[in-house]
Amino acid sequence: MAEATPAPGPENAGPAPPETSEAVGDPTQLLRATLQEISTVIVGQDQMVERILIALVAKGHCLLEGVPGIAKTLAVSTLATVTGGSFTRLQFTPDLVPSDIVGTRIYHPSTEQFDVELGPVFKNFVLADEINRAPAKVQSSLLEVMAEKQVSLGGTTYTLPDPFVVIATQNPVESEGVYPLPEAQRDRFLMKVEMTHPRAHEEMEILRRMSTTHPEAHQLLDPVTLLELQKDAERVQVHQLVLDYVVRLVMATREPENYGVPELRRVLEVGASPRATLGLVACARALALIRGRDYVLPDDVRLLARDVMAHRLVLTFDALADGTTTGQVVDRILAAVPPPRVIWDGPSTDAGDGAAVATR
């Protein structure tokens, strides 16, 4: 069995995370301040910025899809600056090879030994820019990195720094010279966020800010604090009926005829995986923490369902020919599967401060 060895470098140095969240301040205030600081640089992409932060707090990876020039790369680098983590940008091209990303073993004739050269993925934030420009073998080199947060080279396993997140971008318009991500690769991403052009007033604000001296974000967090925020999110309570609602949403993609949407049987070839179930709960917890709650509401799940589930669905050929999108399928499921009702009638030990979740 491969020996687990921590990655060298300053990323793994430093004190152990504190035991309680009081050591780093109020988590909601910290997360809201982080969003506010990022907004001093990024204009008109509030949903995208919030989704990236949710993925980070939920310990997941994020895929950004949008046309060039709408601040995808700038948003990731700004997030790394504000949270205080190390950052690297990998420009994916057709001539890239896996060793360019994860590292390789180099033979030195003078010592007659192999030395390990670790790749650029050993950072807290890894931006995989235009990930669909690289061939399948390069894309697959990230599978172990994203799922296990480790790299195996020459029989030895090297652990990536913690926290660790991969944020990939891809262009949805241009198809020449592009290698679409396979289903297994897409499933590794906790969320896929679709981005659009800014509106007119946002474009004017971009022009005002960027036409002179570019604004700069300041560091508010550090990796130790970020780890504690992730623990705070894990402590957010989820009522049993909300968990049941998440399961019903996911199962409706696999057995639509049992959940009131039989017309989706001819549309869906492969439903969402169990990663969608786990991801919905983790993201809902992170969103609740940002909104200042210690419990999850059904609306948290509904708000994030499209970002978590849509990219995990595989449509039939007929559905693709008809122009059906996975987002439309998720919207149809959300409309058909009823959520549990929330009754505000005093404290509840299950749902949190003043919220009781009841059957529909």
Side-chain angles (χ1 to χ4, degrees):
M1 182 178 294
E3 177 186 359
T5 304
E11 296 87 353
N12 291 304
E19 291 296 325
T20 60
S21 59
E22 286 77 11
V24 297
D26 181 68
T28 297
Q29 294 295 333
L30 287 174
L31 292 171
R32 289 179 177 176
T34 300
L35 291 174
Q36 182 64 33
E37 187 65 24
I38 296 174
S39 68
T40 62
V41 178
I42 305 300
V43 179
Q45 298 291 352
D46 295 340
Q47 177 175 312
M48 179 267 292
V49 173
E50 183 183 58
R51 296 298 191 268
I52 295 178
L53 187 59
I54 288 173
L56 180 59
V57 175
K59 300 182 181 180
H61 311 289
C62 190
L63 177 62
L64 306 179
E65 183 176 272
V67 297
I70 53 177
K72 298 188 295 293
T73 302
L74 181 60
V76 180
S77 61
T78 303
L79 177 65
T81 299
V82 174
T83 56
S86 55
F87 171 75
T88 187
R89 174 183 175 180
L90 303 176
Q91 189 65 49
F92 278 55
T93 57
D95 61 344
L96 210 63
V97 295
S99 60
D100 294 331
I101 298 175
V102 299
T104 187
R105 302 175 69 208
I106 298 178
Y107 180 73
H108 293 278
S110 58
T111 61
E112 298 183 350
Q113 291 181 342
F114 284 94
D115 288 340
V116 174
E117 293 289 338
L118 298 179
V121 294
F122 286 86
K123 302 289 184 181
N124 295 118
F125 294 88
V126 176
L127 173 60
D129 215 355
E130 295 193 272
I131 188 173
N132 54 343
R133 293 285 177 194
K137 64 179 180 180
V138 177
Q139 296 175 5
S140 62
S141 66
L142 288 176
L143 290 177
E144 182 185 16
V145 171
M146 296 171 64
E148 308 297 336
K149 297 185 179 180
Q150 64 185 28
V151 171
S152 299
L153 293 172
T156 303
T157 300
Y158 299 88
T159 305
L160 292 161
D162 197 13
F164 173 77
V165 61
V166 173
I167 303 177
T169 68
Q170 64 179 15
N171 186 342
V173 178
E174 189 175 352
S175 59
E176 184 177 352
V178 166
Y179 304 85
L181 293 177
E183 291 81 2
Q185 187 83 28
R186 294 199 307 267
D187 200 38
R188 295 304 198 279
F189 286 100
L190 177 63
M191 308 175 76
K192 177 186 176 184
V193 182
E194 297 180 357
M195 301 173 57
T196 59
H197 279 122
R199 294 180 289 246
H201 69 280
E202 296 167 343
E203 195 84 16
M204 181 61 71
E205 181 63 19
I206 293 173
L207 181 61
R208 186 186 67 80
R209 292 190 192 183
M210 299 298 183
S211 59
T212 55
T213 303
H214 294 183
E216 295 183 0
H218 302 89
Q219 179 179 345
L220 298 181
L221 306 176
D222 57 70
V224 174
T225 303
L226 189 54
L227 289 173
E228 188 59 33
L229 290 173
Q230 293 176 343
K231 293 181 181 178
D232 288 328
E234 291 176 346
R235 288 190 284 265
V236 172
Q237 302 176 61
V238 187
H239 194 279
Q240 178 62 39
L241 292 175
V242 177
L243 294 176
D244 175 71
Y245 178 54
V246 171
V247 172
R248 285 189 285 122
L249 289 176
V250 174
M251 291 303 297
T253 67
R254 306 177 198 169
E255 304 169 358
E257 62 278 0
N258 295 334
Y259 293 88
V261 280
E263 68 275 12
L264 295 184
R265 171 53 64 189
R266 59 172 295 273
V267 173
L268 287 166
E269 183 170 334
V270 179
S273 71
R275 286 196 182 100
T277 309
L278 297 172
L280 264 177
V281 174
C283 289
R285 279 182 162 134
L287 179 61
L289 187 64
I290 293 175
R291 301 291 166 85
R293 286 181 274 105
D294 62 353
Y295 54 89
V296 171
L297 293 175
D299 284 346
D300 297 329
V301 176
R302 294 177 63 85
L303 187 64
L304 298 170
R306 187 165 180 159
D307 300 312
V308 176
M309 295 173 57
H311 66 285
R312 292 182 160 92
L313 303 179
V314 179
L315 302 182
T316 62
F317 178 79
D318 291 340
L320 295 174
D322 293 339
T324 304
T325 66
T326 55
Q328 293 171 342
V329 172
V330 175
D331 291 341
R332 178 69 185 92
I333 291 174
L334 288 174
V337 179
R341 290 185 297 116
V342 178
I343 302 175
W344 302 92
D345 59 353
S348 170
T349 56
D350 289 328
D353 297 336
V357 185
T359 56
R360 57 187 181 276

